[in-house]
Amino acid sequence: MNCPQCEGILVTLEFDRVEIDHCPECGGVWLDSGELKMLLDREGGDFLPEAPGLAQGKEKKRKCPICSRGMKKVLVGGNRILLDECPGHGLWFDHGELKRVLEDACAQGRGQDLTDSLVRLLDEVFVP
Ligand SMILES: [Zn+2]
Ligand SMILES: [Zn+2]
């Protein structure tokens, strides 16, 4: 798959049976549909809002790396982090956004250990 942001080739990592595709060029992360939920739902609770707020697009539209259709902007979590979503395929996180979403989940008392280890993994992967 190609990075929706910079066209770099996405590299797949496996974290606790969840596949995480990341772009070594720009530090973005792609999660297939349901994978973020799988990560966060192990601790129970719904983290992602069912009807996320639609964002006004200041950022340019990105294309889904799977179907190449334009993704929609969604706001996620208490900090209202702006992500790109292709319904049915997955979510795109710009550099640092996945970490913010996880920290946000953590702040709500979910998945502390999981979040710590995932944040560590991401820190190792994304050496500045
Ligand atoms: Zn990239
Ligand atoms: Zn798609």
Side-chain angles (χ1 to χ4, degrees), residues 3 5-8 23 25-26:
C3 174
Q5 167 68 14
C6 72
E7 311 279 308
C23 175
E25 301 293 323
C26 67

Side-chain angles (χ1 to χ4, degrees), residues 21-76:
D21 297 294
H22 82 100
C23 175
E25 301 293 323
C26 67
V29 175
W30 170 261
L31 288 180
D32 284 338
S33 190
E35 285 179 337
L36 178 66
K37 214 164 160 13
M38 266 176 70
L39 283 171
L40 296 171
D41 277 4
R42 289 182 195 180
E43 301 292 319
D46 280 323
F47 177 64
L48 289 176
E50 273 308 310
L54 275 192
Q56 301 306 318
K58 258 185 274 166
E59 289 183 35
K60 76 174 166 110
K61 267 203 164 190
R62 309 231 167 80
K63 285 182 180 164
C64 171
I66 293 174
C67 67
S68 298
R69 268 181 281 187
M71 292 191 279
K72 62 177 188 182
K73 302 283 180 192
V74 292
L75 290 166
V76 167

